[in-house]
Every structure is written in C-alpha cells, then in structure tokens.
Amino acid sequence: MKMRKRLALVVALVFALSIFAGCGAKTETPTPGTPSKEDIKIGIINSLSGSVSSYGTSAHNGALLAIEEVNKKGGLLDGRQVKYVEEDDQGKIDDASNASQKLINQDNVVAIIGATISSCSNAAAPSAQAAGVPMITPTSTATNVTENGEYISRICFLDPYQSKALAKFAVDNLKANKAAILYNKQDDYSTGLAVSFKEEFTKLGGTIVEEQTYGKDEQDFNGQLTKIKGTNPEILFLPDYYNTVGLIAKQAKQQGLKATLLGADGWDSPQLFEIGGDAVEGAIFSAHYSAADPSPETKAFVEAYKAKYQKDPDSFAALGYDAAMALMSSINTAGSTDKAKIKDAINDLKDFKGASGTITLDDKRNPIKTVVFVKCQQGKQEFVAKVTP
Amino acid sequence: MEFLQQLVNGLALGSIYALIAIGYTMVYGIVQLINFAHGDIYMIGAFVGFFAVVKYGLPFLPTLLLAMLVCSVLGVIIEKIAYRPLRNSPRITALITAIGVSLFLENVVRWRLGPDPRPFPELFSVKVFSLGGVQVSNVQLLIFGVALVLIVILQFIIYRTRIGKAMRAVSQDQDAARLMGINVDRTISVTFAIGSALAAAAGILVGIAYPRIDPYMGILPGLKAFVAAVLGGIGIIPGAMLGGLVMGVAELMVVGFWSSDYRDAIAFAILIIILLIKPTGILGKNQSEKV
C-alpha cells in the first residue's frame, strides 16, 4: 500500500513537471538595443521535440539566423531590435494551439512564424486569424492551411504547384514523353503528387504508359517494377519519401530498369544515398532549395548558416530563414507595427529574394516561386535547373 | 517472359517467408504454441546484423552467423522466462503471453534505437544476370542459396541426429518421450534456438534485399509467415517451406497480373480458402480427434 502511494506521488510529480516543461518558453534579448526605442516582439512556433523534431529544429535555426542578421544590421523601423519568443509544439495539435494563444494573449507578439507541420499550423492559425495577428508558416504544405484566413500565409510551395514544375521539367529539360508512375496509395502526399503530375504531364503532350501503386509497409516492389519495365518508359516518377524511394531505386536497378528516376521534395535527405546507394545515381528530384544553387542570396545564406551552426542547411532551414526574412521585410514595408498593415505588406510580397528563390505571394497567400531541380551524383546533390511553372 | 520474371521475384520473396515460417511451425509442432514474437526475433536478427556490419565491419558470413547465434540465445531465454512457466496453463494464456513478448521486443528496440528506419549497409554490390530475358540478381540468388542450405541442414538435424530424433518424439507425445528418458525441456530449448536462428537469417537476408530496417519491420512478414505455416499445415516443416513459396509467388502474380492493391488481401484470402477446403493445410493429414 505504501509502495502504491509513493508511486502515485511520483506519477503526480512527473505530470506536474511535464506541465511546467510545456510552458518552458524562452524569452531572449539579443544584443541590447538602445533603450529609448521599443523592441519588436515576434513569436516562433516550431516542433523542436517529438517525431518531426529534425524538421522543426532546422526551420527554427533558419529563423534565428535571419533575426540575428537583421539585428546586427540595426534592426527594423529605424533601429528597433527584434526580440523573439519561441514555443515548442512537439508536433502536437494541442500544444500548437496553446502556443499560438499564449503568444497572442500573453506575449503580445506582432506576428508569428510557424508552425512546422501542416496539422500544427492548422491548429495555431484560427486564433491568429481571430486576433488579427499575421502568421507565416515556413514549411506547411497542406492546401487548407492558408484557407484559415487572410492573416495566414506561407513560404513553401504546394504539391500541385510542384507537380506542374516536375511535368514541365520532364518535358522541356529531359525531353521525355513516356513516363511511368509508382506511388504509395495509402499516403496523401504521394497520391496527390502522382495525380497532379499525371494531369500536368498529359497536358504537355506526354503519355503515362504505366501506373502502379503500393501500400505503406511494403518493401518488395519487384512485381510492380517488372510490369513497368515491360512498357519501356523514359522516366519513372516516384513521389514518396527518401526511405521508400531508396528501396525502390535499388530494386529497379536489380530489375534492369533503364528509365531516369524522377522524384519530389520528399527525397531531400542525406539518407537517400545511404539506402539507395549507387541505384539513385543520376536520379533527379524537385526541391524547395539547393545548397548548390549559385544565386548570391543562397550562397550568402549557406555561408552564414554554416558559420553559426557548423553544418549544411537543409530545405527546412532555408524556408525558416525566408519566412523570418519575409516577415521582417514586410514589417519595414508596413512602416509600423500595426498588425493589419503588416498583414497587407505580407500579402503584397512581390519578388522577394530569399535563400529558397524569388518569392511572390498570390491572392491565396501561397508563394509563386522557382522550383529547384537537383541531381544525385556520387552521393551528392548537384544543382541542375530552376523551373517556374 | 513477364510470367517467368514474376515467378523468380516471387520465389525470392517466398524463400524469406519460408525461413520465418519454419520457426513458427517447429515451435508449434513441439509445444502447440503460436509464437507471435517470432517476427520480432527476425527484426532483432536484422538489427544485430546492422550493428555487426556498421560497428565492427564484419563481412557477410560472420554477420549471418553472429545474428543467428544472438537470436538463438534470445529465443531460448524468451522460452525460459515467458513460456516455460506457462507450459501447463491453458493455451490461450501462452498465446497472449506471446503477443506480450512481441510488443515488448518491438518497444524495447524502439526505445533504445528510436523509431526511424535505418539503412542496412551494403554488403554486396548488385549484379544482374540475364538468363534468356529473365533478370536474376546476385541478391536473389543469395537468398535462394542461403535458404536452401539452411533447410538442408535443418532436415539433416531433424532426421539424422539424436536431438532431431528427440524433437520428433517430443512433438508426438511429450509424456511418452519423458518416460523414454528424453529431456523435454532441453529439446524444447533447442527447438526455440533453431527456429530463432532461422528467423535471424531471414532478417539478414531481408536487410540485404530490402535495405531499410525499423523496429516494426517484423509485424507484417511475421503475420504472412504465420499464414504460410498454416497454409502448408502447421507443425509440418516441408509444409512451411511450401507455404512460404506459395505465398511469395501468389503475391507477385497478383501484383503482376492484377493489382498491387490486392496483394495482402489475396494472401489472406488464400489462407481462408485453403482452410475451408483442407483445414489441416496443404500437406496436413486428416486426423480424427482421439477421445
């Protein structure tokens, strides 16, 4: 009995601690600004822990780098420093919604950058919209995120937009007119890309010679690949994440398939080469950004990021950086910290030169920007082209 | 031609199912327990192989032997701790314990190593041979080869050694075997050791053929191998081999000539049909219940 009481106490303590841990937001003042001018406070929500923490941490690092750079150059609106409040949503809907309410009501931020994943952005967006606080998500790709209202915008492109660029690249750059598709039928991302690619590719005069699917835990694709091989496609489109694509590429090589493998932003991971080995050699995929992009903005970003974090920035870092930069430049354009004015400035964003390309927001607050194409060569990503669909 | 190609693909996949299915069927044959943790032993075999290659840089054969050794020890320990105390309990108790062991193994691995899939290191570079239009890769040949060698060794152990004789005796009648002076506990331990070693070998082969391993990789192949064992007639070793090959080929034919959507559905539909027509499995003998 005593034992059980003690256990209950421990459990209660752990719960209590975890509640406090959830509130453990850090407020940080970077270089102390001139006290006469008030700091500008912005909120950042990212998944810094939990299952998607690697995405959230990269996006967060990118945003912090942008804020540091702006503050070093004298801040915004004639020398006002930018102060940030960071929140970790742990990739959970509840925490994302709590975080945005806390930023709006307690911290009184002028705008929010976040969240990382679409479900969290959708949880955070309604309170931002209701309170009239502009929110820019760096990385949430679900179409309905920006449909939460005019205060919600994003920096990354959407999947149908990406498919358009892929189809254009396949026809114009690869000169292909016979394509096969192999996709995961139990995954919205994979299916969405497959469907829109098929539509766009056919529109441009190409033919889909074979369409095959698989389920989420499948590891053996030999059957599908044998069928695809029989139709002799010039390209094989594989819209899935790197760990599955690596397996497919390997088996495609074993089956003696000669088609060029074409993929999307889900391929963008160093693990692609570990799983796929030399089977992904020569494969091409679309990405939000490439560290090898020769544009001056990207080069400057890559150097600054490496200097601060001692590693190469990935797409999430570039998008986090661009979201923060776009927000801060919009605050300058607005000329004040009036939230409605900042919102208008964000929604009018035009030809903004970021690390992930030149960004213009359309009337649905989704970006029109270049899609980067990357080729796998000797275990490295090589920059191939930029395509604007 | 496409038919032959799909047949080769199916046999390669089927020999992996066969290796796992043999472990199921051996354990069932001897203690009438469906060891649901068997698929997870296969997963642990793959992870042992992963660390043997990545940490210690071992080549193929030592990796295979090490994984088989580790898993056979693990199989014996699991039997001692989880199943032996329940030997005389109702069968459902042991079955539920097996599910518990399965969840335990999955979650311990997940807790220690994380849920993310890991790339299994490349032990061979892939070479493809073309035999009259049919593509056969060295990986597929390796899977056939290793499965075949292991099954021949297993047949030798069961029919040509004393321990094999003891295993056959215990599976026929435990009490009578004990009266004849056979150490039943030891025989059961050996059965678990051999079954687990075969699962570990399957784990390594899968790591080479499909180089992505994660803590939950054992669930679906484990389930399919169980179906294969039942299909061939549970408790009968040649039946498990046949069942595994039938499952592999059937799956690939469904994918090749119908739709991959029905892949798993067909696997389980075959099970239901066979059990309706021949409840004891393909190689099972009809036995009337003794009263």
Side-chain angles (χ1 to χ4, degrees), chain B residues 12-84:
Chain B
L13 183 65
S15 23
I16 290 170
Y17 290 155
L19 280 180
I20 312 175
I22 289 172
Y24 266 113
T25 233
M26 282 177 72
V27 167
Y28 184 86
I30 213 154
V31 280
Q32 276 80 47
L33 165 72
I34 293 164
N35 183 11
F36 274 113
H38 196 65
D40 301 295
I41 293 184
Y42 147 91
M43 173 270 292
I44 286 176
F47 271 96
V48 171
F50 174 85
F51 286 110
V53 177
V54 172
K55 284 250 161 75
Y56 305 105
L58 295 184
F60 171 67
L61 207 59
T63 302
L64 184 73
L65 294 177
L66 180 71
M68 289 172 76
L69 183 74
V70 171
C71 283
S72 55
V73 171
L74 182 69
V76 172
I77 292 172
I78 289 172
E79 194 272 328
K80 270 225 165 86
I81 294 174
Y83 304 144
R84 188 166 298 178

Side-chain angles (χ1 to χ4, degrees), chain B:
Chain B
M1 200 47 66
E2 200 186 312
F3 177 80
L4 278 179
Q5 181 69 57
Q6 299 291 20
L7 189 68
V8 170
N9 298 339
L11 288 173
L13 183 65
S15 23
I16 290 170
Y17 290 155
L19 280 180
I20 312 175
I22 289 172
Y24 266 113
T25 233
M26 282 177 72
V27 167
Y28 184 86
I30 213 154
V31 280
Q32 276 80 47
L33 165 72
I34 293 164
N35 183 11
F36 274 113
H38 196 65
D40 301 295
I41 293 184
Y42 147 91
M43 173 270 292
I44 286 176
F47 271 96
V48 171
F50 174 85
F51 286 110
V53 177
V54 172
K55 284 250 161 75
Y56 305 105
L58 295 184
F60 171 67
L61 207 59
T63 302
L64 184 73
L65 294 177
L66 180 71
M68 289 172 76
L69 183 74
V70 171
C71 283
S72 55
V73 171
L74 182 69
V76 172
I77 292 172
I78 289 172
E79 194 272 328
K80 270 225 165 86
I81 294 174
Y83 304 144
R84 188 166 298 178
L86 299 172
R87 185 124 351 118
N88 297 318
S89 321
R91 261 205 239 169
I92 191 80
T93 316
L95 186 75
I96 288 168
T97 308
I99 296 173
V101 172
S102 163
L103 291 173
F104 174 78
L105 293 177
E106 278 159 23
N107 287 296
V108 164
V109 173
R110 200 190 83 112
W111 168 50
R112 299 307 312 174
L113 304 173
D116 296 333
R118 288 161 190 250
F120 197 87
E122 202 162 48
L123 283 166
F124 303 96
S125 56
V126 177
K127 286 192 189 67
V128 183
F129 309 101
S130 193
L131 303 170
V134 177
Q135 307 276 343
V136 184
S137 72
N138 54 348
V139 173
Q140 286 174 324
L141 289 177
L142 180 85
I143 294 175
F144 284 137
V146 172
L148 199 69
V149 168
L150 289 175
I151 286 166
V152 168
I153 293 175
L154 179 68
Q155 289 292 332
F156 176 81
I157 291 175
I158 290 177
Y159 290 103
R160 294 275 185 280
T161 61
R162 279 173 68 88
I163 185 74
K165 207 180 224 174
M167 279 159 71
R168 281 181 288 144
V170 172
S171 82
Q172 274 174 15
D173 192 328
Q174 250 183 54
D175 296 328
R178 188 167 317 182
L179 288 174
M180 298 299 124
I182 292 172
N183 186 338
V184 173
D185 282 345
R186 214 190 94 205
T187 312
I188 292 174
S189 289
V190 171
T191 310
F192 269 88
I194 295 175
S196 304
L198 291 176
I204 301 284
L205 294 177
V206 163
I208 292 168
Y210 314 114
R212 179 188 66 183
I213 60 173
D214 66 76
Y216 300 110
M217 67 184 277
I219 299 175
L220 200 60
L223 214 54
K224 285 189 184 159
F226 169 62
V227 173
V230 175
L231 195 63
I234 191 139
I236 305 162
I237 289 169
M241 282 153 50
L242 185 68
L245 294 178
V246 167
M247 287 275 297
V249 172
E251 262 188 45
L252 266 293
M253 292 299 163
V254 169
V255 173
F257 299 100
W258 197 7
S259 160
S260 58
D261 295 350
Y262 300 109
R263 180 179 200 143
D264 295 341
I266 288 299
F268 295 101
I270 291 177
L271 174 77
I272 295 171
I273 293 168
I274 298 246
L275 291 186
L276 283 176
I277 300 170
K278 204 162 181 301
T280 48
I282 301 174
L283 298 185
K285 291 185 187 68
N286 282 320
Q287 275 176 338
S288 49
E289 194 81 13
K290 275 173 260 173
V291 185

Side-chain angles (χ1 to χ4, degrees), chain A residues 136-342:
Chain A
I136 305 183
T137 166
T139 55
S140 301
T141 52
T143 318
N144 59 7
V145 171
T146 47
E147 287 165 5
N148 279 299
E150 55 177 354
Y151 278 87
I152 318 298
S153 54
R154 79 175 106 213
I155 283 304
C156 54
F157 51 66
L158 300 181
D159 292 341
Y161 185 84
Q162 181 173 204
S163 289
K164 246 188 205 173
L166 277 159
K168 196 172 170 203
F169 179 82
V171 172
D172 292 351
N173 297 47
L174 298 176
K175 310 274 174 236
N177 50 41
K178 276 166 70 186
I181 309 177
L182 177 59
Y183 65 97
N184 183 344
K185 215 173 182 179
Q186 292 171 0
D187 183 81
D188 290 345
Y189 164 75
S190 187
T191 312
L193 277 176
V195 169
S196 48
F197 177 79
K198 185 180 172 186
E199 197 185 305
E200 299 294 337
F201 189 68
T202 324
K203 230 187 254 169
L204 294 174
T207 321
I208 304 291
V209 289
E210 185 67 59
E211 220 182 311
Q212 287 286 320
T213 60
Y214 50 88
K216 80 173 181 350
D217 288 322
E218 250 173 77
Q219 293 212 314
D220 184 279
F221 309 96
N222 285 313
Q224 291 95 323
L225 290 167
T226 300
K227 267 184 108 168
I228 287 169
K229 195 188 165 203
T231 59
N232 258 325
E234 289 153 324
I235 53 173
L236 171 56
F237 181 45
L238 302 171
D240 205 340
Y241 297 103
Y242 56 90
N243 47 25
T244 308
V245 167
L247 282 185
I248 299 176
K250 219 159 197 181
Q251 291 170 38
K253 197 183 174 204
Q254 288 172 24
Q255 292 290 342
L257 199 79
K258 295 280 185 309
T260 305
L261 305 181
L262 186 66
D265 57 336
W267 285 35
D268 196 357
S269 159
Q271 278 214 6
L272 176 70
F273 299 106
E274 289 176 45
I275 299 179
D278 57 355
V280 292
E281 182 76 25
I284 297 174
F285 61 91
S286 55
H288 293 273
Y289 136 100
S290 159
D293 184 339
S295 88
E297 289 82 15
T298 311
K299 272 192 167 158
F301 162 71
V302 173
E303 268 170 38
Y305 191 93
K306 266 188 177 164
K308 187 166 157 80
Y309 301 107
Q310 282 83 45
K311 60 182 172 191
D312 279 331
D314 56 16
S315 291
F316 289 91
L319 292 170
Y321 178 84
D322 281 359
M325 277 298 188
L327 172 63
M328 290 187 289
S329 114
S330 299
I331 293 176
N332 259 350
T333 316
S336 80
T337 51
D338 181 70
K339 288 163 193 153
K341 279 187 185 154
I342 296 173

